[in-house]
Amino acid sequence: GDETAPLISPCKCRGTNAKVHLACLNTWRRASANARSLRECLTCGHVYDTRKSQLALMLDSQWAVPVATGVAIGAAAHVVAIIAAIVCGSIGNAATRIYHAMYLYPPWRNWTWAWAVRLAAALDTAVVATVLLGVIGFAHAIYIKYQQHPQHFLRYSAVPLVMLANSHGGAAVRVFSAIGLWVGYHSAFKCTRSLASYALLRWGETILEVHD
């Protein structure tokens, strides 16, 4: 932290633990594995006196992280759909390739009414984005497993996965995509929660000094 920053007394500790830089304290609160350290001193048990900003009130909401995660995934899905449309020439072509690969025959592809065609295009876009995000999430999970235990992965996981994909085709892709979506959401949720915690400590609240 900045050694020139003023020292504060955020709790009732005495001696060498009495004063600390606010930035250093926030770093410790964020890094600690004990969730209680966000709200209280683990040494003396004093609950920090904080002044919260409007941002902190928003981040403290139980819906803040899930909603932010959903927005981030929605934005990622939009980007993936745009890339797929560019690569395949149109979102319809991308959807057709995915339906053929997964042996899917969605009923909306036969709709002919003007409003239904627009709805069908939106459904195609949703399917393309969802499947591709799932595949990306699954590939990322496989890569992480390989990095952790390369020999074990190649020996016990790679061959069964290849055999499953070869024998079950589209069904395997659907399963892989579903697993990838779950893993992707879990990873995005953890990342969003970490960013929210950082924002809360960095800009959302200020710990006030204890006055005897």
Side-chain angles (χ1 to χ4, degrees):
D2 184 5
E3 295 299 328
T4 62
L7 294 167
I8 66 169
S9 299
C11 61
K12 295 183 179 179
C13 288
R14 295 294 180 263
T16 57
N17 293 331
K19 291 186 177 293
V20 65
H21 293 109
L22 180 58
C24 296
L25 175 60
N26 283 338
T27 298
W28 160 249
R29 292 168 67 206
R30 186 169 64 251
S32 175
N34 192 329
R36 288 172 47 222
S37 62
L38 278 174
R39 300 301 172 201
E40 65 183 70
C41 173
L42 299 183
T43 302
C44 69
H46 176 75
V47 177
Y48 298 126
D49 185 13
T50 60
R51 182 174 62 234
K52 294 185 177 181
S53 66
Q54 188 63 36
L55 174 63
L57 296 176
M58 292 172 57
L59 293 176
D60 270 348
S61 168
Q62 63 176 334
W63 298 106
V65 173
V67 168
T69 302
V71 171
I73 292 176
H78 187 68
V79 171
V80 167
I82 291 175
I83 294 174
I86 293 173
V87 171
C88 297
S90 71
I91 200 67
N93 290 340
T96 298
R97 294 186 182 186
I98 287 176
Y99 295 145
H100 286 171
M102 300 178 68
Y103 304 117
L104 295 176
Y105 307 96
W108 58 81
R109 301 228 100 188
N110 297 320
W111 293 349
T112 56
W113 306 285
W115 63 270
V117 170
R118 289 193 291 270
L119 178 58
L123 292 172
D124 281 347
T125 302
V127 170
V128 169
T130 300
V131 171
L132 291 183
L133 278 181
V135 170
I136 292 170
F138 184 78
H140 181 260
I142 292 298
Y143 176 73
I144 295 298
K145 290 295 182 183
Y146 171 76
Q147 288 247 332
Q148 292 173 344
H149 307 286
Q151 296 301 325
H152 185 276
F153 174 81
L154 292 174
R155 182 176 300 177
Y156 298 107
S157 300
V159 173
L161 286 173
V162 172
M163 292 177 63
L164 179 62
N166 185 58
S167 61
H168 290 80
V173 175
R174 291 197 291 270
V175 172
F176 294 162
S177 182
I179 294 173
L181 285 173
W182 183 86
V183 172
Y185 177 82
H186 183 67
S187 298
F189 185 88
K190 288 177 61 178
C191 181
T192 304
R193 183 173 57 187
S194 177
L195 290 174
S197 177
Y198 174 80
L200 178 63
L201 297 179
R202 181 68 178 83
W203 300 292
E205 66 181 18
T206 300
I207 296 181
L208 305 179
E209 289 201 71
V210 172
H211 298 286
D212 296 328

